[in-house]
């Protein structure tokens, strides 16, 4: 079942909890489709009044910030052995190449890697644990974590919600025009085919 179709079958409170938990676990370092869940939920909120986009964005932001903070604590305590263990459990996401790429991003951008990592699927999983492993000062991590969580989670929710509203109103406005156009195309094609068939009839009779 499509994610959005499944979300339509559960109550609003469950959607809030699901978004917060999935994004939190993804930020913690577990490869989950947090962005897909968030986008689908925000689009669903634009079409159903039961889901409050403000509450949805707040839950997504809280999940992102808390999950990243827990990931930072685990990474700081586990160190390099933790990355090696994750590489064995999730080789597709925590391969040596992916870890090396993430480390280069941290070396180049520092705390900004945590902030901009929110917008990149790979770094979104790595940011918290890797910041802890590399022992980034917590105050730097916290600032980047909070700002990144607000901009990414809150911003994504707001953008998708308003895009969904605009798209829905546009489709409603032009639905009748689309219906009329479809009818005209159908009638026109029928008349053209009928005319061609009428012209072809004498030629067929002469051939016989």
């Amino acid at each position: 079942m499509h994610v959005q179709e499944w979300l339509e079958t559960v109550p609003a409170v469950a959607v809030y909890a699901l978004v917060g938990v999935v994004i939190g676990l993804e930020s913690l370092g577990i490869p989950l489709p947090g962005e897909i869940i968030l986008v689908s939920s925000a689009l669903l909120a634009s079409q159903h009044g039961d889901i409050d986009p403000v509450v949805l964005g707040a839950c997504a932001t809280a999940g992102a910030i808390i999950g990243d903070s827990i990931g930072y604590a685990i990474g700081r305590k586990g160190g390099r052995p933790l990355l090696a263990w994750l590489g064995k459990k999730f080789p597709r996401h925590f391969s040596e190449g992916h870890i090396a790429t993430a480390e280069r991003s941290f070396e180049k951008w520092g705390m900004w890697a945590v902030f901009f990592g929110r917008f990149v699927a790979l770094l979104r999983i790595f940011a918290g644990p890797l910041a802890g492993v590399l022992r980034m000062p917590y105050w730097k991590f916290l600032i980047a974590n909070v700002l990144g969580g607000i901009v990414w989670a809150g911003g994504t929710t707001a953008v998708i919600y308003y895009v969904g509203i605009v798209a829905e109103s546009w489709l409603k406005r032009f639905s009748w025009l689309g219906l009329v156009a479809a009818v005209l195309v159908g009638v026109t094609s029928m008349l053209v085919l009928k005319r061609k068939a009428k012209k072809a009839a004498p030629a067929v009779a002469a051939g016989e």
Side-chain angles (χ1 to χ4, degrees):
M1 185 182 293
H2 191 275
V3 173
Q4 188 171 347
E5 293 176 351
W6 181 79
L7 287 171
E8 290 178 353
T9 64
V10 298
V13 175
V15 174
Y16 301 147
L18 177 68
V19 169
V21 170
V22 171
I23 290 179
L25 291 176
E26 183 190 37
S27 301
L28 189 149
I30 299 176
L32 291 174
E35 192 169 34
I36 295 176
I37 294 293
L38 178 58
V39 169
S40 298
S41 301
L43 188 60
L44 185 64
S46 70
Q47 300 169 358
H48 298 274
D50 295 339
I51 300 177
D52 189 333
V54 176
V55 177
L56 181 67
C59 291
T61 302
I65 294 172
I66 294 171
D68 239 18
S69 297
I70 296 174
Y72 174 89
I74 294 174
R76 193 174 182 90
K77 186 175 182 179
R80 293 285 177 180
L82 173 65
L83 295 180
W85 180 81
L86 289 173
K88 294 179 181 179
K89 293 293 182 180
F90 306 102
R92 181 181 175 184
H93 297 86
F94 289 91
S95 64
E96 292 183 2
H98 286 170
I99 293 175
T101 301
E103 283 186 316
R104 285 195 296 270
S105 299
F106 271 74
E107 291 173 359
K108 184 176 181 179
W109 300 104
M111 62 183 290
W112 292 109
V114 177
F115 177 85
F116 290 110
R118 285 290 179 193
F119 303 89
V120 182
L122 178 64
L123 286 179
R124 190 160 56 245
I125 299 172
F126 279 117
L130 192 57
V133 170
L134 298 177
R135 296 192 172 276
M136 176 183 291
Y138 183 70
W139 68 270
K140 288 186 177 181
F141 170 80
L142 183 62
I143 293 174
N145 179 27
V146 171
L147 292 178
I150 293 173
V151 174
W152 175 74
T156 299
T157 303
V159 169
I160 297 300
Y161 175 76
Y162 286 112
V163 166
I165 290 178
V166 171
E168 187 175 17
S169 62
W170 188 88
L171 289 174
K172 285 181 178 179
R173 184 181 305 170
F174 291 98
S175 59
W176 283 106
L177 291 177
L179 178 61
V180 172
V183 172
L184 289 176
V185 169
V187 172
T188 302
S189 60
M190 182 184 68
L191 292 175
V192 170
L193 290 175
K194 189 175 180 179
R195 186 177 179 181
K196 286 184 176 181
K198 189 175 181 180
K199 287 183 177 181
V204 173
E208 292 177 352

